[in-house]
Amino acid sequence: MSLLICNKENGRWYITNEEISRIFDQENQQITGGKITMGIIEVIKKQEREEGKLEGKLEGELEKAIEIAAEMKRDGLPVAQIVKFTKLSAEEIEGL
């Protein structure tokens, strides 16, 4: 089991073991009171959190677009118009 791995797509490092990640957070807080940075791993963990927030936001936007598209489709709007307003593909809309 490795502590860090490299994501080949973007070259970023991240902690892969949740237990180690949790322990690191606890130790960092206890030792520094959350006031002193711990270096590269802390920066990496911050980056992970920010990326997770962005991913969650994008997933939420996609879910909302799908809900809207489904409602528009039920109301009989043309697929081209649904594509224009939701930015979903015609294939995604037809699959609803």
Side-chain angles (χ1 to χ4, degrees):
M1 176 182 340
S2 63
L3 170 61
L4 299 176
I5 66 168
C6 179
N7 181 332
K8 297 297 182 188
E9 287 184 27
N10 60 22
R12 294 183 177 155
W13 294 90
Y14 57 95
I15 296 174
T16 59
N17 183 294
E18 289 183 18
E19 178 67 11
I20 292 171
S21 179
R22 184 186 60 74
I23 292 168
F24 175 84
D25 287 342
Q26 288 174 343
E27 291 295 322
N28 180 27
Q29 181 67 30
Q30 183 178 10
I31 293 168
T32 69
K35 295 179 183 177
I36 300 172
T37 61
M38 295 296 288
I40 189 69
I41 292 180
E42 184 175 2
V43 171
I44 291 167
K45 291 179 70 52
K46 180 180 178 186
Q47 181 182 31
E48 283 181 317
R49 288 188 294 270
E50 289 171 359
E51 288 175 1
K53 288 178 188 177
L54 177 59
E55 287 176 19
K57 180 180 178 186
L58 294 175
E59 287 175 13
E61 289 176 1
L62 176 60
E63 289 174 10
K64 187 66 175 172
I66 290 170
E67 290 174 16
I68 291 168
E71 187 174 346
M72 294 172 82
K73 187 176 178 184
R74 282 192 299 274
D75 287 350
L77 276 81
V79 171
Q81 191 172 14
I82 300 171
V83 168
K84 178 181 176 183
F85 290 113
T86 64
K87 307 300 187 240
L88 297 172
S89 70
E91 292 79 20
E92 289 172 308
I93 294 165
E94 290 168 0
L96 297 176

